[in-house]
């Protein structure tokens, strides 16, 4: 491609962004009583928020429904055409419906609105047609009108689609903040993400258990501890009494220091172990364990239950493999 056309592409892209940003900058001043009323209506319902729109409005509507659902406001998307062929049965008197149409004259809504009114279901309109049938029938109207679409023919929804998306985000986040929705709440709807791994997993969920937990009895020798260190490769061994309570910890570092100080492999582990030794509670969150590792400059620790008995072991690599950084 020659330089002239390359410059044209950059120009076209920049013009679109400038036009959309110009239209979007008008939205904050439009938020007023209707925005507050929309939030109050949603906060008051006992059911779900149902978002509906067709065409580009439908695609944006799916995103708005997803944003609401993931930030503490139960919501789902309903296609207008499917609503007219059975899906309207999803709507109950406990719900609220957000209808999205830039013109406010979508034919499907002309059939849906009377049914919603009959059910006494509140309606929030996101529209640029503030004098449209949709706006007239709605309990709250969120104005996303634009003076000019960024499409040079004024046909493809561009500035108006951006405004719709922004208005939906404003609604979702305003509700999220007024509910004091926290990271832990967000993680519950995103359990597979990195945030979910950090906030939902506990030490007991990611620790090593069974025969791969390094353990020796209190009457063992350093040689026994060295064999256990080699077998498990965790870098430490928990020293336990007959009831499985930890009385100390012996690490790779302890072994090196012992040998440098002319100790022998036949020495009693009781004499050379670290007392009482660091250990992690199994009920701690995994992210707390990671912070503790960093604070104490260690990479592994045995895990104990509420009675102080050995139940597992954990190292920093186990945390990383679980997506906790």
């Amino acid at each position: 491609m020659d330089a002239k056309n390359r410059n044209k592409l950059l120009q076209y892209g920049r013009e679109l962004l400038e036009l959309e940003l110009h239209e979007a900058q008008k939205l904050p001043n439009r938020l007023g009583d209707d925005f507050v009323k929309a939030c109050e209506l949603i906060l008051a319902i006992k059911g779900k928020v149902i978002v509906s729109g067709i065409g580009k409005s439908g695609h944006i509507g799916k995103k708005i429904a997803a944003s609401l659902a993931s930030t503490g406001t139960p919501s789902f998307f309903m296609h207008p055409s499917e609503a007219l062929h059975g899906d309207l049965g999803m709507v109950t008197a406990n719900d609220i419906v957000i209808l999205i149409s830039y013109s406010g004259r979508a034919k499907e809504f002309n059939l849906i609105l009377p049914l919603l009114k009959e059910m006494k279901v509140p309606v929030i309109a996101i529209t640029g047609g503030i004098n449209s049938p949709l706006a007239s029938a709605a309990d709250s109207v969120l104005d996303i009108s634009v003076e000019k679409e960024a499409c040079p023919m004024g046909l493809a929804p561009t500035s108006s689609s951006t405004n719709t998306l922004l208005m939906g985000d404003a609604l979702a986040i305003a509700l999220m903040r007024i509910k004091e929705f926290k990271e832990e709440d967000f993680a519950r709807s995103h359990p597979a993400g990195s945030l979910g791994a950090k906030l939902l997993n506990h030490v007991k969920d990611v620790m090593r258990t069974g025969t791969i937990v390094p353990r020796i009895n209190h009457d063992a020798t350093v040689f026994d501890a060295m064999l256990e260190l080699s077998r498990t490769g965790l870098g430490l061994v928990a020293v336990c009494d007959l009831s499985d309570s930890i009385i100390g910890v012996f690490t790779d570092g302890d072994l090196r220091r012992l040998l440098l100080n002319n100790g022998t492999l036949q020495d009693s582990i009781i004499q050379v172990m670290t007392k009482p030794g660091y250990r992690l509670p199994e009920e701690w969150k995994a992210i707390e364990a990671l912070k503790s590792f960093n604070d104490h400059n260690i990479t592994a620790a045995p895990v104990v239950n509420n009675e102080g008995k050995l139940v597992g072991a954990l190292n920093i690599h186990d945390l990383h493999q679980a997506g906790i950084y």
Side-chain angles (χ1 to χ4, degrees):
M1 182 177 293
D2 59 34
K4 182 178 180 181
N5 283 328
R6 287 173 59 88
N7 289 333
K8 279 185 177 181
L9 288 174
L10 289 173
Q11 176 189 342
Y12 297 156
R14 287 168 180 159
E15 285 178 357
L16 179 136
L17 293 175
E18 288 170 358
L19 279 168
E20 292 199 2
L21 287 170
H22 175 72
E23 294 293 348
Q25 286 175 348
K26 302 173 186 176
L27 287 180
N29 291 331
R30 292 186 192 160
L31 298 190
D33 292 341
D34 270 274
F35 184 82
V36 173
K37 185 175 181 181
C39 292
E40 290 174 337
L41 286 170
I42 293 172
L43 291 169
I45 62 167
K46 297 178 180 179
K48 292 179 171 59
V49 177
I50 300 164
V51 184
S52 190
I54 199 162
K56 303 298 186 297
S57 295
H59 294 305
I60 300 296
K62 290 177 184 177
K63 193 276 180 186
I64 293 173
S67 295
L68 287 166
S70 69
T71 54
T73 303
S75 177
F76 65 87
F77 179 80
M78 178 181 67
H79 194 283
S81 295
E82 297 297 336
L84 294 172
H85 293 277
D87 281 4
L88 202 57
M90 298 177 183
V91 184
T92 73
N94 292 323
D95 299 327
I96 189 169
V97 174
I98 297 176
L99 299 181
I100 307 172
S101 168
Y102 184 74
S103 68
R105 300 179 185 279
K107 294 180 180 179
E108 291 83 357
F109 290 167
N110 293 337
L111 297 173
I112 292 172
L113 281 166
L115 299 172
L116 295 178
K117 287 298 180 183
E118 184 179 340
M119 295 171 63
K120 297 183 179 179
V121 173
V123 172
I124 297 170
I126 299 181
T127 182
I130 56 175
N131 297 314
S132 65
L134 173 58
S136 299
D139 298 278
S140 171
V141 179
L142 303 181
D143 180 8
I144 46 116
S145 60
V146 297
E147 290 182 17
K148 185 178 182 181
E149 294 283 11
C151 167
M153 294 179 291
L155 299 176
T158 44
S159 302
S160 59
S161 293
T162 299
N163 277 10
T164 306
L165 181 63
L166 292 173
M167 188 64 77
D169 283 347
L171 196 60
I173 301 306
L175 291 166
M176 172 186 175
R177 294 181 67 177
I178 203 70
K179 292 178 180 180
E180 298 184 350
F181 193 77
K182 297 180 174 59
E183 282 188 340
E184 289 81 0
D185 302 313
F186 189 86
R188 289 187 182 93
S189 59
H190 299 74
S194 59
L195 182 61
K198 289 179 181 179
L199 298 179
L200 298 181
N201 280 323
H202 291 76
V203 168
K204 63 183 178 182
D205 299 321
V206 296
M207 69 183 184
R208 305 181 186 197
T209 59
T211 58
I212 60 174
V213 176
R215 178 197 181 282
I216 56 174
N217 290 329
H218 66 286
D219 56 355
T221 65
V222 173
F223 181 74
D224 298 321
M226 185 184 70
L227 290 178
E228 189 70 353
L229 283 169
S230 299
R231 183 184 73 84
T232 58
L234 194 66
L236 63 82
V237 177
V239 183
C240 300
D241 62 19
L242 296 178
S243 67
D244 267 345
S245 293
I246 298 179
I247 59 175
V249 172
F250 189 75
T251 68
D252 285 335
D254 292 328
L255 176 60
R256 288 192 296 272
R257 284 186 289 272
L258 172 73
L259 297 178
L260 287 171
N261 291 325
N262 298 318
T264 73
L265 296 180
Q266 300 308 314
D267 287 348
S268 169
I269 199 67
I270 291 289
Q271 297 174 345
V272 297
M273 69 183 184
T274 300
K275 303 177 186 177
Y278 187 76
R279 69 284 307 273
L280 291 168
E282 65 175 346
E283 295 300 330
W284 269 18
K285 288 183 178 178
I287 190 65
E288 292 179 295
L290 180 62
K291 183 179 185 303
S292 184
F293 280 167
N294 293 332
D295 289 346
H296 290 86
N297 197 29
I298 58 176
T299 58
V303 179
V304 296
N305 60 17
N306 291 333
E307 298 173 351
K309 297 185 184 299
L310 178 68
V311 293
L314 184 71
N315 74 0
I316 199 164
H317 300 298
D318 299 326
L319 293 170
H320 291 170
Q321 286 179 354
I324 300 157
Y325 294 91

